[in-house]
């Protein structure tokens, strides 16, 4: 765990900004001590990395929060999009540098403004945002969660993680075992009740995300035992078939 001061020193993000991110629900600390000190774990720092990458690409904070909180958020997909956007930004900057060097060396021979064109970058950024914010599941989640307090979020996440803990206790069983499949049904029902309609298609996607590495896999395995996330993914795949 790192204090807000240590996170600020590590990342270059001011303490005031970290407090603001907490107040708007963009980045909550993993724990707040009785004395009121904010503490950040590796999961929070990973989220901060995504925030800073999106900020580097000039995404508004509200849109970053929407992407990171989206039920469809996929860490690997987000990184691929960020890499593509950064490459497009690099290409744009290199064109501007070449233009400026040319003007410095030989002066303005013709009025060429093509280097200032950001349509390609803007269009890809738009597609990246829409891939998270325009699904029916996300709209339903946004409606259900609009009045949630910080305590509501903590309780719902705790109850969801308890479902994974139960999966962890079943790892000695086959993924197709009746009890395991009943637990998948319970998970599906909880997601539908508290987040969005969890269709078979959506559930299959979630199963791949749980077992696909990244913070979600780490959180499940940390709470329920190593290998649980992969086991849940296998159980969900059996259920969906």
């Amino acid at each position: 765990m790192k204090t807000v001061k240590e996170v600020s020193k590590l990342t270059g993000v001011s303490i005031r900004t970290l407090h603001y991110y907490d107040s708007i629900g963009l980045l909550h600390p993993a724990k707040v001590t009785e004395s009121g000190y904010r503490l950040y774990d590796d999961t929070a720092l990973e989220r901060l990395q995504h925030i800073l990458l999106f900020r580097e690409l000039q995404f508004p904070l509200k849109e970053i929060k929407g992407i990171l909180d989206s039920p469809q958020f996929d860490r690997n997909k987000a990184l691929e999009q960020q890499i593509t956007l950064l490459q497009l930004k690099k290409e744009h900057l290199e064109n501007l540098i070449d233009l400026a060097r040319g003007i410095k060396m030989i002066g303005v021979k013709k009025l060429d403004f093509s280097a200032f064109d950001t349509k390609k970058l803007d269009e890809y950024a738009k597609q990246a945002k829409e891939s998270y914010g325009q699904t029916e599941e996300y709209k339903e989640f946004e409606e259900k969660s609009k009045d949630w307090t910080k305590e509501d979020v903590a309780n719902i996440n705790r109850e969801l993680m308890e479902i994974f803990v139960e999966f962890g206790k079943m790892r000695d069983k086959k993924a197709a075992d009746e009890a395991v499949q009943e637990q998948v049904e319970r998970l599906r029902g909880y997601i539908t009740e508290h987040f969005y309609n969890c269709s078979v298609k959506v559930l299959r996607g979630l199963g791949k995300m749980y077992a696909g590495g990244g913070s979600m896999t780490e959180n499940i395995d940390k709470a329920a035992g190593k290998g649980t996330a992969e086991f849940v993914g296998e159980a969900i795949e059996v259920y969906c078939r």
Side-chain angles (χ1 to χ4, degrees), residues 127-143:
Q127 291 174 4
K129 296 170 190 175
E130 289 179 347
S131 68
Y132 290 104
Q134 298 302 315
T135 65
E136 289 303 316
E137 290 80 19
Y138 179 69
K139 291 174 183 176
E140 185 178 350
F141 169 72
E142 202 170 37
E143 178 63 26

Side-chain angles (χ1 to χ4, degrees), residues 77-92:
K77 174 185 173 184
L79 286 170
E80 288 173 4
Q81 291 175 332
Q82 288 165 344
I83 290 168
T84 299
L85 283 166
L86 288 168
Q87 288 173 332
L88 290 171
K89 186 176 181 181
K90 177 186 175 186
E91 180 183 318
H92 173 63

Side-chain angles (χ1 to χ4, degrees), residues 175-231:
D177 185 272
E178 184 178 351
V180 176
Q181 289 302 299
E182 286 177 356
Q183 188 68 4
V184 174
E185 180 66 27
R186 182 186 169 201
L187 173 64
R188 183 184 181 187
Y190 191 86
I191 292 170
T192 296
E193 180 181 355
H194 295 282
F195 296 95
Y196 46 82
N197 179 40
C198 189
S199 65
V200 170
K201 179 181 178 181
V202 169
L203 183 62
R204 175 175 271 133
L206 289 172
K208 290 178 180 178
M209 184 175 71
Y210 295 151
S215 59
M216 182 63 76
T217 303
E218 291 169 6
N219 287 342
I220 292 172
D221 284 356
K222 183 178 179 181
K226 188 171 178 61
T228 300
E230 185 176 354
F231 177 66

Side-chain angles (χ1 to χ4, degrees), residues 67-82:
I67 290 173
L68 297 182
D69 289 346
S70 169
Q72 308 302 316
F73 179 71
D74 182 316
R75 170 182 175 272
N76 293 328
K77 174 185 173 184
L79 286 170
E80 288 173 4
Q81 291 175 332
Q82 288 165 344

Side-chain angles (χ1 to χ4, degrees), residues 101-113:
R101 282 176 175 162
I103 293 172
K104 180 182 178 182
M105 290 175 62
I106 61 176
V108 180
K109 296 300 182 182
K110 69 173 184 176
L111 296 176
D112 182 3
F113 292 92

Side-chain angles (χ1 to χ4, degrees), residues 79-180:
L79 286 170
E80 288 173 4
Q81 291 175 332
Q82 288 165 344
I83 290 168
T84 299
L85 283 166
L86 288 168
Q87 288 173 332
L88 290 171
K89 186 176 181 181
K90 177 186 175 186
E91 180 183 318
H92 173 63
L93 290 173
E94 287 176 342
N95 289 337
L96 289 175
I97 291 169
D98 289 342
L99 174 64
R101 282 176 175 162
I103 293 172
K104 180 182 178 182
M105 290 175 62
I106 61 176
V108 180
K109 296 300 182 182
K110 69 173 184 176
L111 296 176
D112 182 3
F113 292 92
S114 60
F116 296 96
D117 188 355
T118 61
K119 287 179 183 175
K120 190 175 180 181
L121 176 60
D122 293 342
E123 181 59 30
Y124 189 87
K126 181 182 177 184
Q127 291 174 4
K129 296 170 190 175
E130 289 179 347
S131 68
Y132 290 104
Q134 298 302 315
T135 65
E136 289 303 316
E137 290 80 19
Y138 179 69
K139 291 174 183 176
E140 185 178 350
F141 169 72
E142 202 170 37
E143 178 63 26
K144 284 186 175 182
S145 64
K146 65 181 180 181
D147 296 322
W148 285 0
T149 64
K150 192 181 291 189
E151 288 72 24
D152 291 332
V153 173
N155 288 334
I156 289 171
N157 286 337
R158 176 181 52 77
E159 289 172 357
L160 179 62
M161 202 53 67
E162 286 173 357
I163 294 176
F164 290 117
V165 170
E166 289 302 313
F167 272 114
K169 297 174 181 177
M170 300 178 181
R171 276 177 295 159
D172 59 334
K173 301 179 184 294
K174 298 288 187 182
D177 185 272
E178 184 178 351
V180 176

